[in-house]
Amino acid sequence: AWTRGEIEAPGATKDMGGWTARVYTAEQQARLGVDEEGKKVAEAPRRVQAVGPAWTRGEIEAPGATKDMGGWTAGVYTAEQQARLGVDEEGKKVAEAPRRVQAVGPSWTGGKKVTEAPRRAQAVGPAWTRGEIEAPGATKDMGGWTARVYTAEQQARLGVDEEGKKVAESPRRVQAVGPAWTRGEIEAPGATKDMGGWTASVYTAEQQARLGVDEGGKKVTE
């Protein structure tokens, strides 16, 4: 349902032994009344309606990394996002260091000037978080957190490095065509697969059966 916009997207992933499925976190399951696959479950008589993270409501940009929580993977904010948005890794606002007030004493006290603390610079997030380029299609283990990176196919097609930065175009570079789901011709893959150094987006067994495609999204003969 989440691929059709009927429910918010899963906030975690789960290792299925060869491929990784998108699953709903315990918080989402309790709040939305679904199991980890997004299927509706019987609502408890006294179930309390919880509120999801701000990014699931469109109040802040989505986390740019993931974190292994021991059985499930949470979406977390990178160090760059935390510094730029003033949040912790979970997206919660943190108290900004108080600014020192510049004061000048009366002339008879000497009138010495107090140095003001430097103001924090406003950073700019990756281009894909601002809608200027399609989102990365893979993840990369950064040793403690997971970064969103561009696949080899995306790098060749978009002329960027794995971080999405523009690279000098080769004189004879051929313009490639991305997967159908990147052009809105088919729903997006619901799982990922470890390709040995990078992670590809792949279609689940359920999507393959329903859409008549292989795990790469290519049509198969019925």
Side-chain angles (χ1 to χ4, degrees):
W2 66 270
T3 62
R4 302 188 298 274
E6 298 173 6
I7 189 173
E8 69 183 52
T13 58
K14 184 176 180 180
D15 184 1
M16 303 301 289
W19 60 280
T20 305
R22 297 286 295 274
V23 295
Y24 287 84
T25 65
E27 180 278 330
Q28 288 181 304
Q29 293 177 46
R31 175 165 52 83
L32 301 172
V34 298
D35 60 17
E36 70 176 9
E37 296 176 357
K39 298 176 181 177
K40 282 288 182 182
V41 294
E43 186 173 355
R46 301 177 61 184
R47 177 172 166 272
V48 179
Q49 183 69 22
V51 178
W55 67 269
T56 64
R57 304 189 299 274
E59 298 174 4
I60 189 174
E61 69 184 51
T66 57
K67 184 177 181 181
D68 184 0
M69 304 301 288
W72 61 280
T73 305
V76 296
Y77 287 84
T78 65
E80 182 277 328
Q81 288 180 305
Q82 293 178 46
R84 175 167 51 85
L85 302 172
V87 297
D88 59 19
E89 69 174 11
E90 298 176 357
K92 298 176 182 176
K93 282 288 183 183
V94 294
E96 187 172 352
R99 293 176 56 191
R100 291 178 59 186
V101 179
Q102 182 161 330
V104 179
S107 57
W108 60 269
T109 64
K112 293 182 179 179
K113 205 171 187 179
V114 179
T115 304
E116 185 176 2
R119 296 179 63 184
R120 191 179 68 190
Q122 184 70 20
V124 179
W128 66 269
T129 64
R130 304 189 299 274
E132 298 174 3
I133 189 175
E134 69 185 51
T139 58
K140 184 177 181 180
D141 184 1
M142 304 301 288
W145 60 281
T146 305
R148 298 285 295 274
V149 295
Y150 287 85
T151 65
E153 181 278 326
Q154 287 180 306
Q155 293 178 46
R157 175 165 50 84
L158 302 173
V160 297
D161 60 18
E162 68 174 11
E163 299 176 357
K165 298 176 181 175
K166 282 289 183 182
V167 294
E169 186 174 356
S170 172
R172 301 177 62 183
R173 176 174 168 271
V174 178
Q175 184 69 23
V177 178
W181 67 269
T182 64
R183 304 189 299 275
E185 298 174 4
I186 189 173
E187 69 184 51
T192 57
K193 183 177 182 181
D194 185 2
M195 304 301 288
W198 60 281
T199 305
S201 295
V202 296
Y203 285 85
T204 65
E206 181 278 328
Q207 287 180 304
Q208 293 178 45
R210 175 165 52 84
L211 301 172
V213 296
D214 60 17
E215 69 175 11
K218 297 177 182 177
K219 283 289 183 182
V220 295
T221 304
E222 292 190 25

